[in-house]
């Protein structure tokens, strides 16, 4: 008989930008049975509670066979440090920031 559900490996993505869809890639669950055995689950579960309409900490609930567990994700208005707004903080962002600090009139931030 299924007894409990727990997260073994969290989803790879835990920071979202407003408007993103939930990505559970990498999420692994363990379904524990009353006899002490367990199954590892990578698919077949349902999720609820995710909303990326506003900046907030969001609780995502994962359910399988009537048992639930949850984890937290962050929804941000923008990714801090992402100067060019490509959803990645990379060397181009660093260079744009350095140019802006050195020559603000020549290199305004977006």
């Amino acid at each position: 008989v299924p007894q409990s559900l727990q997260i073994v490996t969290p989803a790879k993505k835990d920071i979202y930008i407003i408007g993103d869809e939930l990505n559970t890639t990498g999420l692994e669950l363990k379904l524990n049975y009353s006899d002490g055995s367990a199954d590892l689950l990578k698919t077949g579960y349902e999720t609820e509670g995710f909303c990326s309409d506003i900046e907030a900490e969001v609780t995502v609930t994962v359910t399988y066979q009537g048992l639930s567990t949850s984890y937290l994700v962050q929804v941000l208005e923008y990714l801090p440090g992402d100067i060019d707004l490509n959803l990645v903080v990379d060397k181009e962002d660093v260079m744009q920031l350095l140019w802006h600090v050195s020559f603000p009139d020549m290199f305004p931030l977006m």
Side-chain angles (χ1 to χ4, degrees), residues 67-84:
L67 299 170
S68 297
T69 188
S70 61
Y71 64 98
L72 296 175
V73 298
Q74 282 293 133
V75 176
L76 303 174
E77 185 174 340
Y78 65 93
L79 187 60
D82 182 16
I83 304 300
D84 57 11

Side-chain angles (χ1 to χ4, degrees), residues 26 66 74 87 100 103 105:
Q74 282 293 133
L87 302 180
H100 172 72
F103 309 101
D105 292 335

Side-chain angles (χ1 to χ4, degrees), residues 37-50:
S37 63
D39 285 329
L40 187 63
L41 306 171
K42 295 182 181 183
T43 61
Y45 51 81
E46 294 180 7
T47 60
E48 63 182 359
F50 180 77

Side-chain angles (χ1 to χ4, degrees), residues 11-81:
K12 291 179 182 178
K13 186 170 182 171
D14 63 354
I15 297 177
Y16 293 84
I17 305 301
I18 289 177
D20 281 353
E21 292 186 20
L22 180 65
N23 182 343
T24 59
T25 301
L27 180 63
E28 292 183 347
L29 306 169
K30 185 164 82 169
L31 180 62
N32 300 300
Y33 295 95
S34 57
D35 66 0
S37 63
D39 285 329
L40 187 63
L41 306 171
K42 295 182 181 183
T43 61
Y45 51 81
E46 294 180 7
T47 60
E48 63 182 359
F50 180 77
C51 177
S52 66
D53 292 345
I54 61 169
E55 186 172 42
E57 185 174 72
V58 177
T59 301
V60 177
T61 301
V62 183
T63 304
Y64 184 81
Q65 292 187 358
L67 299 170
S68 297
T69 188
S70 61
Y71 64 98
L72 296 175
V73 298
Q74 282 293 133
V75 176
L76 303 174
E77 185 174 340
Y78 65 93
L79 187 60

